[in-house]
Amino acid sequence: MSTSDSQEFYRIQKLPPYVFAVVNEMKAKLRAAQQDVIDFGMGNPDGATPRPIVSKMVEAARNPRNHRYSLSKGLPNLRLEICKRYERNYGVTLDPEVEAITTIGAKDALAHLLFAVIGPGDAVVSPNPAYPIHQYGVIMAEGHACLLPMPSPAEFLNRLEDLYKTAAKKPKMILISFPHNPTTTCVDLDFHKEIIRMAALHGSMVVHDFAYADIGFDGYRPPSILQVEGAKEHAVEIFSMSKSYNMAGWRVGFCLGNPKMIKALARIKSYLDYGIFQPLQIAAIIALRECEEETHKICNMYQKRRDVLVDGMNRAGWPVTPPKGSMFLWAPLPERYKDMPSLEFSKLLLEKSLVAVSPGIGFGPMGEGHVRFAFIENHQRTRQAMRAVKKFLSE
């Protein structure tokens, strides 16, 4: 076998080319030509990590004892601190020994959990469009990714109920994430209660990817699925430091809840990694212990950016509704372009206005007809982008 053609590799051939790479390549060429691209594409926080966290990491990195292998499941004190945060913020009691594990970000938690608990052909149901790992993590784990449309939370629940009634093979897992990326859909605790009720009735596992736990606007506070009574018997929740604490590049996350699923993840991780660099874990302890106020400031910053972007788009003649949570705006294509493929529209917008967005098709077949803006540019740059968009739409 020739290794020159990666399509011959068993798992790689199941993964389509990364749609976002097309837009990224265009961005790179424009920037190389000295063009000023305003980039709303990747949800990559641009803010600095709070100073006490950075200071603690620097101090810990100077200690040679922290240069050795760490614990795969995370430092005991770090697991204790995330459990304390859940007690404070959600009234949820967790055992740091068996109901919490530290992961190398949320993607690591999700991908390796799927490898640990999903077998060939197991159905994993999730809303679509979705963050790519939600679909392709299942496929890489040999499962069957069952994609349900989510025009609204209530409609998703109805479709899930119908699926349980009609499917020859009941879903092994329900995989959800709210506030939702990319659609920004938000739910209340009653939604989670209904998910847990169905999971209990049909013996399914539940995974809630809670990446935007602290990014709720206009007084909305995203609920944890673990607040539902009996949730730990069926569900785990994945929490990430990335968005809440501006720690995206640090890669610190957690999987919390059902002890059986946590144990399976711990087992598979013990073969795959030696945990996170210890100074990063020590700094994360300080983040959870001392920097709660910073999460509110970060959320307020995203809300202000949302307001500037939404106002600018509406003024530009591209009507959109402000989201209640996440760091994104999920925008239907402008009326005159509504029949254009989202990738082609994204390329045209970039070419004509030097504004980069993520095409909806990159989030699955049901993402077509939309593009996603991330709140990663400051007010001045956002207003500049909206002037360019207005000019593009009026031509």
Side-chain angles (χ1 to χ4, degrees):
M1 182 189 88
S2 165
T3 55
S4 60
D5 184 0
S6 65
Q7 294 306 309
E8 295 178 12
F9 293 123
Y10 173 67
R11 282 198 176 81
I12 299 304
Q13 68 187 359
K14 295 183 175 191
L15 303 175
Y18 207 48
V19 171
F20 306 120
V22 178
V23 178
N24 290 339
E25 199 174 305
M26 273 187 74
K27 273 192 304 202
K29 282 181 181 169
L30 286 164
R31 282 174 171 157
Q34 307 301 308
Q35 296 291 316
D36 180 21
V37 174
I38 302 177
D39 188 3
F40 297 100
M42 188 179 177
N44 192 358
D46 61 322
T49 303
R51 191 169 292 174
I53 305 170
V54 177
S55 299
K56 192 65 182 179
M57 187 274 290
V58 171
E59 178 195 315
R62 288 198 174 106
N63 186 338
R65 283 185 307 181
N66 292 324
H67 300 175
R68 305 165 69 186
Y69 290 130
S70 188
L71 295 171
S72 178
K73 63 189 288 191
L75 295 176
N77 279 346
L78 180 53
R79 286 181 279 121
L80 179 62
E81 285 302 327
I82 191 64
C83 293
K84 284 181 179 176
R85 187 183 202 264
Y86 263 71
E87 182 74 64
R88 280 196 311 270
N89 290 7
Y90 307 110
V92 171
T93 305
L94 292 162
D95 181 341
E97 279 307 305
V98 295
E99 294 176 335
I101 185 171
T102 307
T103 61
I104 307 171
K107 259 190 178 180
D108 165 55
L110 189 54
H112 287 150
L113 179 66
L114 289 166
F115 269 108
V117 302
I118 293 301
D122 285 345
V124 178
V125 61
S126 59
N128 196 268
Y131 189 52
I133 192 70
H134 289 198
Q135 181 179 344
Y136 293 105
V138 175
I139 290 166
M140 285 188 277
E142 306 277 294
H144 167 59
C146 181
L147 312 177
L148 284 188
M150 185 177 59
S152 70
E155 185 59 26
F156 175 76
L157 289 174
N158 288 339
R159 289 172 193 234
L160 183 57
E161 187 92 71
D162 289 344
L163 183 71
Y164 273 117
K165 286 175 185 168
T166 58
K169 196 174 180 185
K170 299 282 187 280
K172 184 80 177 275
M173 177 186 284
I174 306 167
L175 172 52
I176 52 174
S177 178
F178 298 100
H180 188 251
N181 176 13
T183 69
T184 76
T185 301
C186 292
V187 299
D188 56 19
L189 195 58
D190 283 343
F191 176 94
H192 287 321
K193 285 178 181 172
E194 192 57 22
I195 290 285
I196 294 298
R197 183 193 69 78
M198 282 193 234
L201 186 64
H202 299 287
S204 301
M205 296 177 280
V206 179
V207 177
H208 182 224
D209 181 353
F210 205 23
Y212 302 96
D214 298 291
I215 316 295
F217 307 134
D218 307 319
Y220 170 68
R221 196 156 170 242
S224 162
I225 200 167
L226 299 180
Q227 289 174 268
V228 178
E229 191 175 345
K232 286 193 291 184
E233 291 167 34
H234 311 280
V236 292
E237 187 158 81
I238 294 168
F239 177 80
S240 163
M241 306 289 284
S242 294
K243 310 306 189 300
S244 297
Y245 295 89
N246 274 345
M247 291 173 68
W250 299 58
R251 311 312 302 132
V252 182
F254 303 91
C255 189
L256 308 152
N258 181 263
K260 192 174 176 184
M261 290 162 75
I262 299 287
K263 187 177 181 180
L265 178 57
R267 180 84 167 269
I268 211 160
K269 276 176 65 64
S270 69
Y271 281 91
L272 290 170
D273 70 68
Y274 286 107
I276 303 162
F277 184 44
Q278 201 148 286
L280 301 181
Q281 294 191 61
I282 292 167
I285 291 169
I286 296 304
L288 293 167
R289 194 179 283 166
E290 298 178 9
C291 296
E292 191 67 20
E293 192 52 43
E294 294 294 330
T295 68
H296 304 309
K297 289 179 188 170
I298 290 164
C299 179
N300 289 337
M301 180 268 294
Y302 283 128
Q303 182 167 321
K304 285 172 185 167
R305 287 183 177 183
R306 175 203 67 168
D307 293 344
V308 171
L309 179 61
V310 168
D311 180 59
M313 288 187 70
N314 285 323
R315 284 170 186 267
W318 187 347
V320 290
T321 306
K324 277 171 60 181
S326 84
M327 58 180 288
F328 304 111
L329 176 70
W330 184 238
L333 297 189
E335 185 61 29
R336 62 189 277 206
Y337 295 102
K338 66 180 173 50
D339 296 325
M340 183 182 273
S342 59
L343 179 57
E344 294 311 307
F345 175 79
S346 300
K347 285 157 68 176
L348 184 66
L349 185 68
L350 181 54
E351 181 194 334
K352 298 291 186 187
S353 65
L354 296 177
V355 171
V357 295
S358 293
I361 189 66
F363 301 98
M366 296 167 209
E368 199 54 283
H370 290 76
V371 291
R372 191 195 73 178
F373 288 77
F375 306 149
I376 51 171
E377 293 280 10
N378 64 33
H379 296 188
Q380 182 188 339
R381 299 271 293 163
T382 300
R383 290 190 184 102
Q384 181 186 333
M386 290 306 102
R387 286 193 293 272
V389 167
K390 186 174 185 177
K391 186 167 181 284
F392 162 69
L393 291 176
S394 63
E395 281 173 354

